[in-house]
């Protein structure tokens, strides 16, 4: 091609790109949590020009990673279910997920330790799961299978109502699967607590405790949360649990790369200070660099703080924002200079008195002295996460959210109690192997992710109306303002945050 024809073609392509960009509607996203990233990808594939503003100099919010003295730690989520909602984002962008993001299937998923010396594994699949539990506990295999079949049925009755659609659009209630769920409302256990249903189903208090534990997946108490939440084990035991190659942070890394590849723009270290509203309609976002106009804004910031900090003049949905917030966590990220063959990727050391533990967290707003301890060790699957012969221990307990407690004193006391329990159950002296340490408490959650009161799962589900009292994915007051993430519908966890982004972006026309 002659040089001047080539130059003309180049100019034409630049002009074309400019025109396409000019005609695109724009979308500003506040926060690069997993839901903000998924929303960015979905909006870009819908034809919007998307800019993500992130307060931190890294993406992922709770789903991020840090290293100390040769040990790498995933800072927040560690249990990965329903990976197909990540795959869907690649497919939507015209890419094969397997070229960019991979994961392994876990079986067994958990190893449980009890004070009486019982050690058992939680397997994937109803039959294997029931066989192991019946072998180690005083329960019949058929009773466990019956329970799991019921959770499966309740999941299929409730998923369309509570997970896949906006609960705040009347028209959704007339869709056939939603109607079916509502007509079977009596079956879903909304009028008893998780613990009441589990105590009716089982005799062995260890089996009850194992199923009660799933209330902690959204930061609630099994003695208060409705039995509908007994569907959570369905996701793990029947649908399966997975581990991303490279650790949980690989999810964030893969989504950021995908978003960038399809044209999403990121502004890191750019906290949004205000969502600018004009005539009850979104106009743009204000950061320290000034105001940038957008046609649509999606806030992935915790909804409570979105209203308190970014929308000072907008009428607040007081009842929704007043709901009790979920529990939080204290985590010791320990570099351990020893390998523990008796531990797997996910390990639980159960408390002797679960009722007392939850009462201490939710009523006394303090930390129980014999807490249930979760130990996650990614170096079991990703050896590079710890030096040779060593392990990276993410050692977590559930604690109340931040209402001004003396956290320095509580964390110091918890450390002593946790070490004592670990030593007792694993017959070791763990302190002599700790060669690196980082600590997370509710204050850190609050400052790292702007989560109100350092709650890690938004609202607690400690009453039967909780699902209906999460904020909608859109604003009823302000046109073109939307919300996604763990603090709004359908709720917390990686899969639900991905569904939140889907519901939200489907509402944008
Ligand atoms: C310790 C812990 C353990 C967990 N375990 C699991 C688990 O095992 N499995 C699971 O599925 N889930 C788990 N979760 C829950 C899961 O991590 C969350 O539900 C999910 O990651 C929340 O994502 P999100 O999109 O709501 O945003 P977040 O992760 O809360 O991120 C919000 C982002 O917005 C940014 N932001 C906030 N305000 C502004 C602003 N004004 N301007 C710009 N940026 C802003 C923040 O900096 C942050 O990056 C866990 C969470 C924690 C903390």
């Amino acid at each position: 091609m002659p040089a001047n024809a080539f130059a003309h073609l180049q100019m034409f392509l630049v002009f074309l790109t400019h025109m396409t960009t000019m005609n695109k509607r724009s979308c500003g996203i506040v926060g690069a949590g997993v839901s903000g990233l998924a929303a960015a990808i979905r909006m870009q594939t819908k034809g919007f020009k998307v800019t993500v503003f992130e307060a931190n100099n890294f993406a992922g919010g709770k789903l991020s990673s840090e290293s100390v003295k040769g040990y790498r730690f995933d800072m927040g989520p560690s249990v990965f279910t329903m990976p197909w909602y990540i795959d869907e984002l690649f497919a939507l962008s015209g890419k094969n997920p397997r070229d960019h993001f991979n994961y392994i299937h876990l079986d067994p998923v958990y190893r449980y330790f009890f004070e009486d010396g019982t050690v058992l594994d939680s397997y994937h699949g109803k039959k294997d799961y029931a066989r192991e539990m019946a072998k180690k506990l005083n329960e019949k295999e058929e009773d466990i299978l019956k329970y799991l079949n019921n959770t499966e049925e309740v999941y299929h009755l409730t998923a369309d109502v509570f997970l896949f659609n906006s609960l705040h659009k009347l028209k959704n209630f007339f869709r056939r699967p939603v109607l079916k769920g509502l007509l079977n409302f009596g079956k879903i256990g909304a009028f008893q607590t998780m613990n009441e249903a589990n105590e009716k189903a089982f005799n062995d208090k260890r089996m009850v405790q194992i199923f009660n534990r799933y209330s902690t997946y959204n930061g609630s108490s099994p003695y208060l949360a409705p039995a509908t939440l007994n569907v959570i084990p369905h996701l793990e035991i029947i649908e399966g649990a997975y581990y991303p190659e490279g650790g949980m942070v690989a999810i964030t890394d893969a989504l950021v790369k995908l978003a960038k590849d399809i044209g999403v723009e990121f502004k890191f270290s750019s906290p949004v200070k205000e969502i600018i509203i004009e005539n009850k309609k979104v106009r743009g976002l204000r950061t320290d660099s000034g105001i940038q106009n957008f046609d649509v804004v999606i806030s992935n910031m915790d909804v409570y703080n979105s209203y308190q900090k970014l929308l000072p003049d907008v009428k607040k949905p007081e009842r929704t924002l007043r709901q009790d917030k979920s529990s939080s966590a204290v985590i010791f990220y320990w570099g351990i200079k020893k390998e523990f063959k008796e531990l797997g990727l996910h390990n639980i050391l159960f408390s002797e008195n679960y009722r007392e533990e939850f009462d201490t967290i939710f009523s006394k707003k303090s930390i129980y002295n014999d807490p249930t301890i979760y130990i996650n060790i990614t170096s079991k699957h990703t050896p590079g996460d710890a030096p040779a012969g060593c392990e990276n221990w993410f050692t977590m307990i559930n604690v109340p959210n931040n209402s001004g407690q003396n956290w320095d004193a509580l964390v110091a006391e918890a450390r002593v109690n946790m070490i004592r329990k670990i030593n007792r159950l694993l017959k070791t002296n763990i302190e002599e192997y700790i060669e690196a340490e980082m600590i997370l408490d509710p204050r850190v959650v609050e400052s790292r992710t702007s989560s109100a009161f350092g709650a890690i799962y938004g609202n607690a589900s400690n009453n039967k109306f909780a699902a209906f009292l999460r904020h909608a994915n859109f604003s009823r007051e302000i046109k073109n303002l939307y919300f996604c993430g763990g603090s709004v519908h359908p709720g917390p966890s990686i899969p639900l945050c991905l569904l939140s982004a889907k519901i939200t972006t489907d509402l944008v026309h």
Side-chain angles (χ1 to χ4, degrees):
M1 190 188 293
N4 64 342
F6 184 69
H8 277 121
L9 180 66
Q10 262 189 329
M11 270 169 60
F12 176 70
L13 286 175
V14 169
F15 172 75
L16 207 64
T17 313
H18 183 63
M19 288 306 288
T20 325
T21 316
M22 265 178 52
N23 288 336
K24 272 189 169 178
R25 294 182 75 212
S26 59
C27 171
I29 297 190
V30 184
V34 67
S35 193
L37 293 172
I41 292 163
R42 287 182 176 276
M43 290 301 280
Q44 189 78 20
T45 59
K46 268 169 98 94
F48 281 75
K49 177 166 176 16
V50 179
T51 310
V52 179
F53 296 84
E54 169 51 55
N56 295 320
N57 61 2
F58 57 88
K62 298 180 179 85
L63 187 47
S64 52
S65 165
E66 279 196 26
S67 297
V68 57
K69 293 184 184 167
Y71 293 89
R72 189 202 70 84
F73 296 95
D74 288 313
M75 298 303 282
S78 51
V79 180
F80 182 36
T81 52
M82 305 175 111
W84 38 92
Y85 293 124
I86 300 275
D87 292 350
E88 199 175 284
L89 296 169
F90 284 94
L92 206 64
S93 311
K95 295 179 192 288
N96 177 357
R98 295 293 74 78
D99 293 339
H100 305 273
F101 175 67
N102 287 290
Y103 41 84
I104 57 164
H105 170 228
L106 297 176
D107 199 18
V109 182
Y110 274 96
R111 178 154 287 182
Y112 294 129
F113 296 80
F114 288 89
E115 287 279 352
D116 65 4
T118 311
V119 178
L120 48 81
D121 288 328
S122 161
Y123 285 98
H124 175 219
K126 288 186 272 191
K127 285 203 176 123
D128 288 349
Y129 182 90
R131 193 175 305 121
E132 166 82 352
M133 295 293 154
K135 196 164 90 192
K136 303 274 175 68
L137 306 174
N138 301 320
E139 295 293 348
K140 290 199 191 96
E141 209 171 310
E142 61 261 32
D143 289 342
I144 301 168
L145 280 172
K146 192 172 147 205
Y147 180 90
L148 292 175
N149 286 335
N150 184 51
T151 66
E152 188 168 19
E153 189 191 0
V154 174
Y155 174 78
H156 290 297
L157 283 173
T158 53
D160 266 284
V161 186
F162 293 112
L163 300 186
F164 300 148
N165 294 291
S166 172
L167 255 186
H168 306 86
K169 291 280 180 194
L170 194 60
K171 65 172 191 224
N172 284 339
F173 286 87
F174 297 100
R175 296 175 64 246
R176 192 188 288 206
V178 177
L179 273 175
K180 190 174 166 212
L182 292 173
L183 288 172
N184 284 286
F185 205 70
K187 280 192 184 169
I188 71 173
F191 298 104
Q192 57 181 338
T193 66
M194 290 177 81
N195 178 65
E196 281 163 358
N198 292 337
E199 280 191 341
K200 266 182 215 157
F202 301 112
N203 304 311
D204 192 316
K205 87 173 212 229
R206 293 165 297 181
M207 189 79 260
V208 173
Q209 198 166 5
I210 286 172
F211 283 117
N212 277 355
R213 190 183 69 83
Y214 289 96
S215 70
T216 64
Y217 280 33
N218 70 7
S220 308
S221 161
Y223 303 96
L224 300 168
T228 318
L229 291 189
N230 283 332
V231 296
I232 300 175
H234 165 83
L235 300 182
E236 196 175 281
I237 298 164
I238 302 172
E239 305 269 344
Y242 301 83
Y243 175 76
E245 275 177 14
M248 297 297 283
V249 75
I251 300 173
T252 298
D253 294 345
L255 293 185
V256 171
K257 182 165 184 316
L258 171 62
K260 285 184 177 168
D261 284 352
I262 61 172
V264 172
E265 189 185 347
F266 282 88
K267 297 199 180 211
F268 288 105
S269 306
S270 298
V272 171
K273 299 292 170 65
E274 189 182 353
I275 298 174
I276 309 287
I277 310 294
E278 245 175 41
N279 301 324
K280 295 209 151 226
K281 191 173 167 192
V282 151
R283 180 162 84 79
L285 295 173
R286 182 170 64 78
T287 64
D288 284 341
S289 316
I291 292 177
Q292 194 167 334
N293 289 340
F294 290 103
D295 297 304
V296 170
V297 162
I298 300 177
S299 181
N300 175 219
M301 183 187 198
D302 177 288
V303 71
Y304 181 95
N305 279 333
S306 292
Y307 279 99
Q308 299 296 344
K309 299 191 175 163
L310 308 187
L311 296 161
D313 301 324
V314 170
K315 186 171 163 254
K316 296 178 178 45
E318 297 291 352
R319 190 164 174 231
T320 308
L321 300 188
R322 244 193 348 257
Q323 293 303 303
D324 282 347
K325 299 288 169 282
S326 79
S327 57
S328 188
V330 163
I331 305 173
F332 295 96
Y333 307 91
W334 282 330
I336 300 282
K337 53 180 183 191
K338 183 180 173 203
E339 283 180 297
F340 285 75
K341 302 281 180 224
E342 64 272 47
L343 296 177
L345 173 68
H346 300 297
N347 312 275
I348 300 281
L349 278 51
F350 274 110
S351 136
E352 260 290 82
N353 190 337
Y354 228 21
R355 192 181 278 277
E356 193 65 37
E357 179 174 5
F358 283 99
D359 191 49
T360 309
I361 296 172
F362 287 99
S363 304
K364 300 186 183 126
K365 310 260 179 231
S366 192
I367 304 183
Y368 188 46
N369 58 17
D370 171 36
T372 298
I373 302 175
Y374 166 55
I375 305 173
N376 171 245
I377 310 172
T378 62
S379 58
K380 296 276 182 196
H381 286 281
T382 311
D385 283 353
C390 305
E391 293 181 341
N392 63 338
W393 281 30
F394 165 114
T395 318
M396 171 178 158
I397 55 169
N398 295 305
V399 308
N401 60 48
N402 184 14
S403 54
Q405 297 91 327
N406 180 348
W407 286 108
D408 290 339
L410 284 176
V411 168
E413 197 184 325
R415 191 178 189 276
V416 172
N417 289 332
M418 287 164 75
I419 286 176
R420 192 181 299 140
K421 187 173 179 82
I422 291 168
N423 289 347
R424 192 167 62 237
L425 266 69
L426 301 183
K427 300 185 179 42
T428 182
N429 182 7
I430 198 64
E431 210 161 10
E432 71 182 66
Y433 304 112
I434 301 174
E435 62 169 359
E437 179 175 88
M438 290 190 291
I439 303 174
L440 174 139
D441 67 37
R443 296 170 302 183
V444 182
V445 177
E446 209 166 357
S447 63
R448 250 176 102 96
T449 61
S450 284
S451 300
F453 310 103
I456 59 183
Y457 304 103
N459 287 354
S461 290
N462 283 339
N463 70 67
K464 50 181 161 294
F465 303 112
F468 298 94
L469 291 169
R470 283 188 201 285
H471 197 285
N473 302 93
F474 58 94
S475 165
R476 292 187 195 279
E477 295 288 320
I478 309 298
K479 198 162 177 237
N480 296 339
L481 174 60
Y482 298 86
F483 302 93
C484 69
S487 67
V488 298
H489 179 71
S493 79
I494 294 166
L496 266 56
C497 283
L498 296 171
L499 287 170
S500 179
K502 184 170 194 290
I503 296 169
T504 304
T505 54
D506 283 351
L507 291 169
V508 181
H509 295 296

